[in-house]
């Protein structure tokens, strides 16, 4: 099945969300699916062996920093047209919007068959990028953006607690993505302080 993943961020990048998206794309490809990705024009590191489509490189942004910026808003607006064109050209069975920004892009592009994968709650994350005095209005803005994102289509989340929080807050059925790695009990025990000193 051809899926088109949308990540309004630099890709690849040695950051958590990008690493998770890369692992998901690799797992889908290994299972016989045909995933593709739309991301910003820049990134750092090795991209997965899947087609990566790029938002036009203007305004020219090179920062890998997380968080909002005027350049990212402009790139997200350009992503709307890029997504529409890709959906017409590639006809994916499903558009997978990773994070709030991509869900908003998918809604603005009015593309069919969208699944929103929540990587965070914007009402909790957005205030962390500004001084404390702006926390309350940014939390309200984040909640409104979360509400728009969950309205983009089917909703999944990267963690069960996030799926539960979105389900309760918006009276929807958000599902947690299955974990593609071994559960904590299958991992080796952490190295203790004494073992670290001895190493």
């Amino acid at each position: 099945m051809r899926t088109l993943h949308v990540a309004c961020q630099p890709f690849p990048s040695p950051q958590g969300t990008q690493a998770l998206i890369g692992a998901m794309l690799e797992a889908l490809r290994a299972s016989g699916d045909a995933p593709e990705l739309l991301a910003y024009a820049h990134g750092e590191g090795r991209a997965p062996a899947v087609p990566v489509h790029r938002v036009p490189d203007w305004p020219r942004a090179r920062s890998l920093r997380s968080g909002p910026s005027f350049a990212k808003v402009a790139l997200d607006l350009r992503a709307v047209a890029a997504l529409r064109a890709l959906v017409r050209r590639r006809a994916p069975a499903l558009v997978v919007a990773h994070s709030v920004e991509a869900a908003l892009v998918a809604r603005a592009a009015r593309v069919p068959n969208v699944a929103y994968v929540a990587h965070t709650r914007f009402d909790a994350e957005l205030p962390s990028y500004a001084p404390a005095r702006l926390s309350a209005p940014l939390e309200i803005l984040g909640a409104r953006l979360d509400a728009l994102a969950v309205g983009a289509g089917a909703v999944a989340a990267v963690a069960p607690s996030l799926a539960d929080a979105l389900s309760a807050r918006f009276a929807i059925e958000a599902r947690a993505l299955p974990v593609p790695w071994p559960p904590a009990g299958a991992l080796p025990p952490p190295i203790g302080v004494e073992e670290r000193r001895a190493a």
Side-chain angles (χ1 to χ4, degrees):
M1 174 170 72
R2 175 177 290 135
T3 54
L4 176 58
H5 296 251
V6 183
C8 293
Q9 53 199 229
F11 188 90
S13 173
Q15 294 163 287
T17 299
Q18 289 92 330
L20 183 61
I21 292 169
M24 182 184 293
L25 294 171
E26 292 279 11
L28 287 168
R29 186 181 66 80
S31 73
D33 282 356
E36 300 183 14
L37 175 69
L38 172 64
Y40 290 169
H42 67 291
E44 181 180 290
R46 184 188 69 82
V50 302
V52 178
H53 308 277
R54 302 290 182 174
V55 171
D57 195 15
W58 187 90
R60 189 172 167 84
R62 290 297 173 263
S63 174
L64 299 178
R65 182 187 69 77
S66 296
S69 72
F70 290 116
K72 288 180 181 178
V73 171
L75 290 171
D76 293 349
L77 291 173
R78 298 205 74 177
V80 173
L83 178 58
R84 275 190 200 129
L86 269 174
V87 167
R88 274 195 309 271
R89 210 167 60 242
R90 304 297 294 153
L94 180 67
V95 173
V96 182
H98 291 274
S99 292
V100 170
E101 301 89 340
L104 298 177
V105 164
R107 284 197 76 165
R110 297 184 178 176
V111 296
N113 305 322
V114 176
Y116 164 50
V117 177
H119 289 253
T120 186
R121 279 182 30 216
F122 234 40
D123 67 329
E125 180 181 345
L126 200 53
S128 71
Y129 297 112
R133 69 180 186 282
L134 298 176
S135 288
L138 287 176
E139 186 175 333
I140 292 167
L141 174 61
R144 289 185 178 152
L145 295 173
D146 284 334
L148 288 170
V150 299
V155 180
V158 297
S161 59
L162 181 55
D164 292 346
L166 293 173
S167 295
R169 179 153 197 173
F170 298 108
I172 59 166
E173 184 183 352
R175 296 182 179 217
L177 292 176
V179 180
W181 42 81
L187 296 175
I191 297 174
V193 174
E194 295 304 319
E195 292 166 292
R196 267 192 229 117
R197 286 186 186 139

